[in-house]
């Protein structure tokens, strides 16, 4: 007597969700990827890695750390063809895609290709660069680099690093030394077992004088035998929360000598006689940081989209509880609360995606402008202002976008119920891999405070009447402080809402800072004391900034079905975030209590509206089954069949029970009669009884 | 030339933090543990497991899933002595402690001891229970049970389970059957390799009629050989996010026969002739669920305290950046923003801890009252009302306390910077292990909605003038709706604030529900439609409830240094949460914008105040170094030394490089000259060029 199976099947359900999409999925996908070219290349990369044995992903949850690391180097080897033969632009898109599929490998490759080579590019003189190029550094042959900055006791405070590089004039060498345990280089990706050289950050000392932290290219291992160089001690840092495919290590130097020429001397030079020439201006590093942060914003969007692809498809096919007279159980996605759980996150991931695209363009424009500009150019100051502002905003973006993505991954996991806890759902690995993004390249809280500091400065400049750079130009409009909603909740009303509230929270932070200064605090103390207000300022400014960039992107599009859908998505993002931060909108009077109720109603309605196009919208994220690597999010909806097949394939039962005879059999067959009463043996009983008596006596 | 080491050492720093604590740590610890007896027993359990080889924790991050599972059964075997010989109360405290140290093992043991035995205790007739007791079920010998409820396609909806148990009158047996893939028993802890029997939940069918889900004790494996019983198919579910020490499996039954007497018949009976007798009243399961939720509230507090012990001690000894003219870098804990990151979480963990203690007492009182009460007792209805209300509130508590703890663990991880990402910090495992608490025993969102539904009901009853149970009695005070702050921000002002705002959000949900009903929606539809408001109602009510229980506990204490400190902690908790939920306090006018600024200032000041006693406060959580299992949180402050030693011990370097010759050497020595230009080989170039041309033409 078979129990009647519910109809339709999960596959049929997903097909129905795809029938008659109200917009063209391809066109939507192109808009989200910035260009058709970018989309086509992504599809090509996805096909390539889906077919490459080293990029197999379905078995990744059951590999040991050692197996993961070995596979990382297989992937590494498979990349050198492209790194040598592809254009930089194409290769960067390739790496962006690989970053979504396999963050562990992306990190190992990025350490060699991004950080180590980046250190050379930005720090080496032309002669030095050509020396290292001759040794094969650009093609990743001859030299495989790592980046030895962080130490056990110093992370954020780079200027406080304690490794020393002392100039020895006699031998024309620097002596690299780790003076104590806390100065051990720590977390160094690639150091444990795969790097030949390191860019070592150390306090440079010449003639007994300290000149601050410089970079020294230091050989770690013999390239023929891979044995450690004399004086170099290396250990494996071992298991991490995620990204176990990268071999992080520690390094201790015991009076290791490197030629003077191995200090990167584009900025500071040390002559044969030990004369130190400092650069005329502090090094301009805004550009480099900006590039990294831009890519982290994009990666936050992509990683969130990956998690959402799984959660939304699963919510479409998973049915639970029949409502009313329905025989068929209800799709999770049809529950208002489930729409509330996922649709705002979809909107946010899309908003951050468009922000990343526009940031990329701004970054490229600025880099080009700086590269082609003469120091005498009359626009130089404007461009530098803009760069500085974007740099500060990007600090906030890095923080709040990576937080948003991490939060999205875990909410997606929870939305899939128990199955989200299975490794094969891929959420656990996504979370574990992504979590480090909130810490590296600047702890998110500290970056937020930096952004807040800059906003306090911008407020001060605005008060003095200075025209501000575009990202904070709203601070020049003093009428915003007391603005009120026109009750339309239109995109421009929402934009004004964010500008109003951001102006107010920035003003609060700035006034707090000034008040603290007036009360006699030093600048540093005052900044620390107003941290909480600075943090809030950065948060609100950043959300408003993301909303603005998304809105601009959508408004620049032709008026078609795709842009109309995206306007709905933008509205959901803006209003949902108003709801999330409602305290500030009420506090500064942009919205009153009744309007806030309307906001909640609108968010409910928008969630329902976006739910109607949820599957086509997710499809336009264009992530292959191989990339999302989760049976719960299968494109064809065959959720249970794929999940069961993967669980079976990954967990063959052993021929013999590994510990039945040793552990379980004696348990099952034991007789407890001979055991002594534990009371007297434990010795605690009398003491506990006394306590009991005392208690009763009280 | 050695770099001068900063003074004092990390160990000296922690010692200084402990000098002259403003309260007695032992007394504080007793208050937090509910009694001196509970604390002494905990210390005894901690000492025992620290010395027991099976409970070794320092190597746990580097064990494989199979090794973890085998060790689980070693621990299992070590428990049977205590389960047989200790009083229930003592054994429960033991398990509570072990739950903090080792959630994986706790789960496996809980499945056998809590769920399987619990199913027997609550569902078996006295005769059935004595039958199973004779077979060794109480002492966990002869029978090791698991709990086969969840299926692949059904979790939350237990009534929708699809496994069938069809009565065969001819043989006086039930036939247990899995009709299709979705009905496969899934996630069954202990099934994969360690259980002999299962309590199987299945749709009972007699004479072609379905009678709903009942429980059938079904043998899975032969107890002598451990081979599977005929018709039983079992597989391993494999890797999970955490708790890999428990062997979750799936089970498929193919017409498996069990004697009729193996259906648990305390409530529904099936006679020899197949006559089904339903119980006169629906089963009263409030009590059982309440016990589980109470223990999850306590576990949330304990797990949060474990993470905070690490983060706060680390923040005390970690120094980064020198401020002003100091040569010594500043302790993280002295930064206002770091105080903001951790001190509210400390307050929250303590608040939830006191809530758990009081909940436990309420639960025990209720159980006793129910056990000793006659059906004719005039107080029966009052007690049932109270039970029902506590049951609903406990649903919200389970949800918001487990969420709060999960959030605390990740915030603690982030507050430790990069080192928090190391497996040896123990945060990754704490997070991964704890994460499932938000899903099992009811998905948190769904439980919140249940709590919200009950609050909507309570509002309706209050409007009709009914006197409500204590937990929601504030709804009887209609003046709270329009209450205003007396600006004192005292504990009672804070309590009124929560009561006011909770009343308002519950009123909003209830009015929305009534409006939807009036517009023609069915009750079910109306409830679903007002989900978001129900969710908010549950959230605000729950926070206010936690605050109230904490406040009551503290106000009942003698007026001494300990209670004064705890009052400060309570104030921080209440005001910080007001800040977090400030929108509602502004919206409903309990506080205005200026008062809200005062709240922010007070929270800043309270964070600083609690920071002053942070280390003694953390010490009174009384968690041993073995339990916290994190070098970053060492009691003696030897953070770097312990961390380095553990990393070294866990990661001995291999004698030979496992893949240098195969993978790295060819990379280093390769010559790329022979590689062809990739363009023509890729075939995409022409297409991409066309796109580029088109783009330019636009």
């Amino acid at each position: 007597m078979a129990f009647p199976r519910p109809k339709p099947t999960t596959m049929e359900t997903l097909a129905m969700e795809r029938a008659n999409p109200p917009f063209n999925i391809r066109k939507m996908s192109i808009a989200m990827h910035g260009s058709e070219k970018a989309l086509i290349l992504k599809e090509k990369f996805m096909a390539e890695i889906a077919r490459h044995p080293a990029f197999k992903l379905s078995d990744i949850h059951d590999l040991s750390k050692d197996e993961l690391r070995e596979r990382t180097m297989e992937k590494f080897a498979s990349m050198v063809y492209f790194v040598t033969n592809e254009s930089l632009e194409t290769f960067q898109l390739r790496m962006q895609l690989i970053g979504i599929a396999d963050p562990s490998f992306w990190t190992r490759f990025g350490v060699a290709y991004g950080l180590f080579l980046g250190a050379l590019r930005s720090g080496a003189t032309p002669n030095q660069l050509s020396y290292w190029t001759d040794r094969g550094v650009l093609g990743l042959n001859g030299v495989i680099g790592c980046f030895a900055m962080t130490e056990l006791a110093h992370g954020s405070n780079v200027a406080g690093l304690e490794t020393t590089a002392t100039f020895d004039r006699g031998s024309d060498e620097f002596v690299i030394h780790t003076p104590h345990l806390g100065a051990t280089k720590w977390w160094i990706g690639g150091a444990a077992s795969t790097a030949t050289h390191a860019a070592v950050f150390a306090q440079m000392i010449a003639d007994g004088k300290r000149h601050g932290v410089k970079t020294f290219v230091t050989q770690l291992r013999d390239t023929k035998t891979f044995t450690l160089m004399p004086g170099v001690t290396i250990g494996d840092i071992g298991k991490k929360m995620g990204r176990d495919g990268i071999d992080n290590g520690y390094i201790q130097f015991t009076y290791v000598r490197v030629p003077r020429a191995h200090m990167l001397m584009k900025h500071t030079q040390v002559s044969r006689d030990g004369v130190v020439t400092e650069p005329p201006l502090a090094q301009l590093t805004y550009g480099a940081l900006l590039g990294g942060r831009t890519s982290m914003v994009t990666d936050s969007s992509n990683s969130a989209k990956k998690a959402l692809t799984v959660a939304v498809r699963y919510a479409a096919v998973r049915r639970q509880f029949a409502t009313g007279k329905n025989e068929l159980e209800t799709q999770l996605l049809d529950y208002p609360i489930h729409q509330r759980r996922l649709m705002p996150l979809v909107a946010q991931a899309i908003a951050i995606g468009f922000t990343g695209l526009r940031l990329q363009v701004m970054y490229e424009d600025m880099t080009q402008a700086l590269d082609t500009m003469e120091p005498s150019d009359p626009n130089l100051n404007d461009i530098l202002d803009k760069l500085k502002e974007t740099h500060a905003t990007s600090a906030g973006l890095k923080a709040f976008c990576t937080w948003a993505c991490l939060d999205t991954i875990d909410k997606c996991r929870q939305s899939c119920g128990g199955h989200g806890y299975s490794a094969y759902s891929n959420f656990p690995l996504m979370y574990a891999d992504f979590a480090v993004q909130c810490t590296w390249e600047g702890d998110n809280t500290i970056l937020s405070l930096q952004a807040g500091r800059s906003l306090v400065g911008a407020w001060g400049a605005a008060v003095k009447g200075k025209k501000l750079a575009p990202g904070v130009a709203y601070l020049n409009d003093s009428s915003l402080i007391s603005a009120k909603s026109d009750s339309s909740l239109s995109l421009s009303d929402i934009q004004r809402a964010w500008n109003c509230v951001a102006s107010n929270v920035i003003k609060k932070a700035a006034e707090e800072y000034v008040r603290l200064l007036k009360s006699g605090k030093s600048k540093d103390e005052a900044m620390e004391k107003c941290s909480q207000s600075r943090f809030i300022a950065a948060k609100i400014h950043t959300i408003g900034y993301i909303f603005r960039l998304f809105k601009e992107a959508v408004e620049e599009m032709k008026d078609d079905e795709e842009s109309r859908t995206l306007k709905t998505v933008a509205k959901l993002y803006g209003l949902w975030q108003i709801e999330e931060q409602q305290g500030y909108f009420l506090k500064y009077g942009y919205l009153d209590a009744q309007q806030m109720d309307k906001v909640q109603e609108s968010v409910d309605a928008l969630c329902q509206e976006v739910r109607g196009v949820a599957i086509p919208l997710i499809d336009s994220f264009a992530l292959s089954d191989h990339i999302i690597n989760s049976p719960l999010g299968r494109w064809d909806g065959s959720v249970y069949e794929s999940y069961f097949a993967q669980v079976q394939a990954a967990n063959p039962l052993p021929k013999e029970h590994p510990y039945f005879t040793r552990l379980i059999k004696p348990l099952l067959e034991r007789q407890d009669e001979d055991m002594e009463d534990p009371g007297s043996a434990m010795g605690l009983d009398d003491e506990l009884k006394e306590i009991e008596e005392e208690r009763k006596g009280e």
Side-chain angles (χ1 to χ4, degrees), chain A:
Chain A
M1 156 154 200
F3 192 86
R5 286 205 56 185
K7 294 276 171 194
T9 66
T10 54
M11 283 185 269
E12 287 158 355
T13 302
L14 215 47
M16 289 181 331
E17 292 278 346
R18 288 197 177 100
N20 310 313
F23 55 81
N24 181 303
I25 293 177
R26 185 82 188 163
K27 278 194 191 165
M28 182 64 95
S29 204
I30 291 169
M32 287 187 189
H33 289 79
S35 71
E36 187 171 4
K37 185 181 168 185
L39 179 58
I40 289 175
L41 281 172
K42 178 179 170 186
E43 288 167 334
K44 168 177 156 352
F45 303 146
M46 287 198 295
E48 274 174 8
I49 65 169
R51 293 163 185 176
H52 195 297
F55 283 96
K56 184 174 180 186
L57 294 173
S58 61
D59 64 349
I60 207 166
H61 312 293
D62 288 286
L63 295 182
S64 71
K65 171 169 61 62
D66 292 340
E67 289 166 332
L68 287 169
R69 288 183 181 183
E70 184 159 351
R71 200 179 275 183
T72 291
M73 288 315 282
E74 290 172 9
K75 290 176 242 201
F76 198 106
S78 81
M79 278 297 120
V80 295
Y81 175 80
F82 301 110
V83 83
T84 319
N85 291 289
E86 258 175 4
S87 75
L88 186 65
E89 186 197 351
T90 302
F91 190 72
Q92 279 177 344
L93 283 171
R94 179 184 290 277
M95 287 311 291
Q96 190 184 98
L97 184 269
I98 284 175
I100 319 168
D102 191 346
S104 240
F105 165 64
W106 180 90
T107 311
R108 178 63 192 97
F109 196 79
V111 161
Y113 185 73
L115 295 180
F116 178 77
L117 267 185
L120 284 184
R121 283 210 183 87
S122 68
T125 63
N127 277 347
Q128 288 181 321
L129 196 57
S130 97
Y131 169 84
W132 290 107
T133 306
D134 287 349
R135 297 197 50 183
V137 87
L138 293 179
L140 303 170
N141 49 359
V143 171
I144 301 177
C146 68
F147 189 75
M149 185 164 79
T150 330
E151 295 174 358
L152 184 53
H154 282 92
S156 297
N157 183 10
V158 175
L161 292 173
E162 296 175 274
T163 300
T164 51
T166 311
F167 184 57
D168 174 4
R169 200 181 311 179
S171 63
D172 197 21
E173 289 170 328
F174 281 102
V175 182
I176 314 282
H177 186 58
T178 305
H180 61 84
L181 180 63
T184 303
K185 291 292 172 188
W186 201 262
W187 280 119
I188 312 308
S193 43
T194 57
T196 61
H197 289 69
V200 177
F201 285 62
Q203 297 285 352
M204 195 263 281
I205 301 169
D207 277 329
K209 203 184 148 208
R210 300 171 71 223
H211 293 270
V213 171
K214 314 292 169 204
T215 313
F216 303 81
V217 180
T218 308
Q219 186 163 358
L220 302 176
R221 291 180 171 93
D222 184 292
T223 55
K224 299 284 171 206
T225 62
F226 229 53
T227 48
L228 292 174
M229 300 302 283
V232 174
T233 304
I234 284 185
D236 190 333
I237 295 250
K239 278 288 285 181
K240 302 184 295 288
M241 183 167 183
R243 304 200 186 214
D244 269 327
I246 178 164
D247 55 310
N248 293 83
Y250 65 80
I251 315 175
Q252 292 174 325
F253 299 99
T254 310
Y255 303 108
V256 172
R257 294 181 164 265
V258 299
R260 177 172 55 90
H262 284 206
M263 174 178 140
L264 300 181
M265 296 208 195
K266 187 174 178 179
H267 306 287
T268 302
Q269 284 99 35
V270 180
S271 75
R272 178 66 191 85
D273 299 329
V275 177
V276 178
T277 316
E278 302 281 359
L281 283 169
Q283 196 179 336
L284 200 67
T285 56
Y286 289 148
L289 282 170
L290 202 53
R293 288 175 189 169
T294 301
S295 79
M296 287 174 83
V297 169
T298 299
D299 189 55
S300 297
S301 166
N302 286 333
S303 301
K305 284 172 177 170
K306 180 175 166 185
L308 285 160
T309 300
V310 181
V312 173
R313 287 199 187 135
Y314 180 75
V317 304
R318 175 78 167 184
R319 296 170 181 274
Q320 206 78 180
F321 294 107
T323 40
K325 287 168 204 150
N326 285 321
E327 270 200 31
L328 195 59
E329 289 179 290
T330 306
Q331 292 166 267
L332 294 190
L333 211 44
D334 282 333
Y335 286 101
I337 199 74
H338 215 81
Q339 294 165 10
R340 273 280 188 173
R341 285 172 92 162
L342 294 177
M343 295 305 111
L345 302 179
V346 168
Q348 179 174 254
I350 295 173
I352 293 175
F354 278 99
T355 302
L357 285 175
R358 293 180 86 78
L359 221 55
Q360 182 68 29
V361 173
M362 280 161 65
Y363 170 61
E364 282 162 11
D365 288 353
M366 271 185 213
T367 312
Q368 211 180 5
L370 283 171
D371 283 353
T372 58
M373 191 174 286
E374 296 295 314
S376 57
D377 194 304
N379 293 322
L380 184 65
N381 275 339
D382 276 4
I383 293 190
L384 284 179
D385 272 4
K386 202 172 154 185
L387 180 64
K388 228 167 127 181
E389 179 267 306
T390 313
H391 175 254
T393 295
S394 74
L397 282 169
K398 184 272 186 186
F400 293 102
C401 292
T402 55
W403 270 329
C405 175
L406 191 65
D407 181 59
T408 296
I409 296 170
D410 205 60
K411 287 198 168 129
C412 285
R413 171 186 72 77
Q414 291 191 38
S415 79
C416 292
H419 297 325
Y421 199 67
S422 166
Y424 310 104
S425 75
N426 207 16
F427 292 120
L429 187 62
M430 283 190 237
Y431 189 88
D433 279 350
F434 195 86
V436 73
Q437 300 260 36
C438 303
T439 300
W440 67 14
E441 300 255 332
D443 166 78
N444 278 0
T445 302
I446 296 181
L447 284 185
S448 305
L449 292 186
Q450 285 176 10
R453 177 190 291 258
S454 154
L455 291 169
V456 166
W459 177 261
V463 168
K464 285 181 195 135
K466 195 179 163 199
K467 191 171 167 293
L468 299 179
V472 283
Y474 62 88
L475 294 178
N476 284 129
D477 178 0
S478 60
S479 76
L480 278 168
I481 284 289
S482 49
K484 304 237 173 296
S485 172
D486 62 17
S487 291
S488 70
L489 303 184
S490 64
L491 289 183
S492 49
D493 188 27
I494 297 170
Q495 179 66 70
R496 253 180 93 239
W498 285 100
N499 289 345
C500 160
V501 167
S503 298
N504 274 289
V505 292
I506 294 169
K507 175 171 180 257
K508 179 171 191 299
E511 287 178 352
E512 225 172 287
Y513 174 66
V514 171
R515 200 160 52 242
L516 286 157
L517 280 185
K518 283 191 183 149
S519 80
K521 303 274 182 217
S522 72
K523 281 185 179 184
D524 275 0
E525 281 172 325
M527 271 294 169
E528 292 303 336
K529 275 270 175 196
C530 70
S531 290
Q532 178 67 7
S533 296
R534 267 198 289 156
F535 184 87
I536 293 166
K539 179 167 70 175
I540 300 296
H541 168 74
T542 303
I543 301 169
Y545 190 91
I546 294 170
F547 178 78
R548 180 167 70 78
L549 261 54
F550 185 21
K551 173 173 170 282
E552 283 174 7
V554 172
E555 288 176 343
E556 279 171 19
M557 287 172 69
K558 267 189 284 193
D559 181 36
D560 52 17
E561 287 300 343
E562 291 74 45
S563 70
R564 280 193 289 275
T565 300
L566 287 174
K567 276 179 190 159
T568 305
V569 172
K571 197 162 173 179
L572 174 55
Y573 174 68
L575 288 179
W576 166 64
Q577 279 291 353
I578 287 179
E579 222 186 0
E580 291 284 297
Q581 308 297 337
Q582 61 170 332
Y584 303 106
F585 293 85
L586 290 160
K587 189 174 170 193
Y588 297 115
Y590 191 85
L591 295 162
D592 62 26
Q594 284 69 37
Q595 287 168 325
M596 200 51 82
D597 283 341
K598 288 272 280 193
V599 169
Q600 188 185 324
E601 274 171 44
S602 301
V603 173
D604 281 344
L606 287 162
C607 281
Q608 199 179 1
E609 193 177 342
V610 174
R611 180 268 170 268
V613 297
I615 293 299
L617 209 50
I618 290 296
D619 285 349
S620 58
F621 294 166
L623 292 164
S624 66
D625 280 349
H626 175 250
I627 296 274
I628 64 169
N629 190 26
S630 172
L632 303 186
R634 284 272 298 202
W635 186 87
D636 67 4
S638 64
V639 166
Y640 298 126
E641 296 81 356
S642 310
Y643 182 25
F644 187 66
Q646 185 168 353
V647 164
Q648 275 198 315
N651 298 283
L653 286 181
K655 289 219 174 111
E656 210 174 320
H657 195 296
Y659 49 85
F660 172 67
T661 313
R662 184 171 81 87
L663 287 169
I664 301 179
K665 201 173 163 68
L667 254 185
L668 289 169
E669 296 177 356
R670 82 187 195 284
Q671 307 290 336
D672 286 344
E673 287 82 12
D674 303 334
M675 284 194 175
E676 280 195 28
D677 182 289
S680 54
M682 288 186 184
L684 251 178
D685 269 26
D686 291 344
E687 193 179 342
L688 291 176
K689 263 183 211 141
E690 267 176 45
I691 292 171
E692 287 286 298
E693 293 304 315
E694 270 176 41
R695 236 176 133 197
K696 280 176 195 155
E698 264 174 21

